[in-house]
């Protein structure tokens, strides 16, 4: 496997995370809370996503990533490669995402009389989860993450490619404006698809904090639906969409330019 795609994915992931983290954490009441930990790990996850996608696409279509504009692969191959990258990213990020969600959900008023937060940081959080919930607890919500990211990233890369092709003269490389628009809209479309499962994932991840309430993904889905109705699965959609456009626009622009620079 070539390391260029992984390196470009790492840097572009870090750039997107820095831009989008404040909006992401509004959902959990902590503006920059928990940012230092995912800055490296989510960037690494982005590296895995782009690296697996490019190598899967090369395997399926025989088209190197840099030749995808002059010799475009089929949408089926793009969709399949995107799904493979989603599985790889979800498996890699499951413990990281769990720790991030637990840290972001802590509420703590900064004054001397306030109750101290349960977790003092990401390492302490991970150790507590391992001690109290075991190794399986560290992967709580992992299957929901796989079910979220697999179709989402398949749609993500297919949408990005389709928009780049539509905004670019055939056989030419897309310009910065086309990449920004295509990346932003692809991110928005993928998060619109991902939000319902993201709600389920977050609830399963928080389930071990006080007591186990859900027996699994379907149980969480049904209980949430009975208690709060179908609208609960759209919770966070507006914030996700606001975050997705600029983050993914910057991510793809950074990634495409780094590929040209490094290759």
């Amino acid at each position: 496997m070539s390391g260029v795609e992984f390196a470009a994915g790492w840097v572009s992931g870090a750039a997107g995370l820095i831009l989008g983290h404040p909006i992401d954490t509004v959902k959990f009441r902590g503006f920059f809370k928990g940012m230092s930990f995912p800055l490296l790990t989510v960037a690494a996850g982005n590296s895995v996503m782009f690296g697996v996608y490019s190598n899967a696409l090369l395997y399926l279509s025989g088209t190197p990533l840099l030749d995808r504009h002059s010799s475009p692969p089929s949408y089926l191959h793009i969709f399949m490669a995107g799904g493979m990258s989603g599985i790889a990213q979800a498996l890699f990020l499951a413990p990281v995402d769990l720790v991030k969600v637990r840290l972001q959900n802590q509420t703590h008023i900064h004054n001397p009389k306030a109750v101290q937060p349960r977790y003092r940081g990401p390492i302490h959080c991970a150790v507590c989860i391992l001690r109290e919930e075991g190794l399986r607890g560290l992967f709580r919500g992992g299957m929901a993450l796989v079910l979220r990211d697999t179709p989402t990233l398949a749609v993500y890369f297919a949408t990005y490619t389709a928009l780049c092709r539509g905004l670019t003269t055939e056989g030419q490389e897309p310009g910065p404006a086309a990449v920004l628009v295509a990346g932003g809209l692809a991110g928005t479309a993928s998060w619109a698809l991902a939000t319902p499962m993201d709600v389920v994932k977050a609830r399963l991840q928080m389930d071990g904090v006080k007591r186990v309430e859900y027996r699994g993904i379907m149980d969480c889905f049904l209980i949430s639906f009975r208690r709060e109705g179908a609208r609960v699965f759209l919770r966070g959609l507006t914030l996700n969409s606001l975050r997705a456009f600029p983050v993914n626009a910057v991510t793809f622009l950074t990634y495409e330019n780094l590929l040209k620079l490094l290759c």
Side-chain angles (χ1 to χ4, degrees):
M1 286 188 179
S2 170
V4 172
E5 295 88 353
F6 289 91
W10 183 296
V11 177
S12 63
L17 177 67
I18 292 170
L19 178 63
H21 193 79
I23 301 175
D24 185 41
T25 52
V26 165
K27 296 183 291 185
F28 303 103
R29 303 181 187 178
F31 199 54
F32 279 96
K33 186 177 290 184
M35 183 174 180
S36 59
F37 182 54
L39 182 59
L40 292 177
T41 50
V42 172
N46 208 69
S47 173
V48 169
M49 178 187 75
F50 277 108
V52 171
Y53 169 73
S54 61
N55 285 279
L57 191 59
L58 176 62
Y59 175 79
L60 291 169
S61 68
T63 304
L65 195 64
L66 288 178
D67 296 336
R68 68 195 188 282
H69 301 303
S70 58
S71 180
S74 70
Y75 284 112
L76 176 61
H77 288 154
I78 292 167
F79 193 85
M80 292 173 63
M84 292 177 189
S85 72
I87 295 172
Q89 178 184 251
L91 293 175
F92 178 82
L93 284 182
V96 175
D97 192 67
L98 174 67
V99 169
K100 183 191 77 168
V101 168
R102 292 281 180 93
L103 289 174
Q104 287 176 326
N105 271 277
Q106 291 189 131
T107 55
H108 175 53
I109 302 172
H110 297 285
N111 64 67
K113 296 182 179 180
V115 177
Q116 291 298 311
R118 180 172 186 178
Y119 305 120
R120 297 191 296 270
I123 302 301
H124 180 250
C125 179
V127 170
C128 287
I129 293 171
L130 277 171
R131 184 174 61 244
E132 298 167 8
E133 304 172 46
L135 184 61
R136 289 184 63 184
L138 202 58
F139 284 84
R140 187 183 295 276
M143 182 53 65
L145 192 62
V146 170
L147 292 175
R148 186 197 73 177
D149 286 357
T150 303
T152 294
L153 289 184
V155 169
Y156 180 64
F157 284 108
T159 302
Y160 173 73
T161 302
L163 289 169
C164 277
R165 291 180 185 177
L167 295 169
T168 306
T169 303
E170 186 175 353
Q172 299 295 315
E173 292 188 1
V179 171
L180 285 169
V181 171
L185 291 177
T188 301
S190 63
W191 264 110
L193 176 64
T195 295
M197 188 55 69
D198 189 59
V199 172
V200 173
K201 173 198 70 73
R203 292 186 173 206
L204 289 171
Q205 288 173 325
M206 288 303 298
D207 203 24
V209 175
K210 294 182 179 179
R211 62 185 179 87
V212 176
E213 181 178 3
Y214 307 115
R215 295 191 298 272
I217 294 172
M218 185 56 66
D219 189 51
C220 178
F221 182 90
L222 292 174
I223 289 176
S224 299
F225 178 78
R226 283 198 300 267
R227 290 178 178 175
E228 302 170 67
R231 291 184 62 183
V232 68
F233 300 110
L234 299 179
R235 184 169 294 172
L237 178 59
T238 301
L239 282 174
N240 286 339
S241 298
L242 288 172
R243 173 186 179 276
F245 191 95
V247 166
N248 289 282
V250 168
T251 295
F252 267 110
L253 184 64
T254 304
Y255 179 72
E256 294 283 6
N257 281 286
L258 282 173
L259 282 183
K260 295 175 185 177
L261 180 66
L262 296 174
C263 291

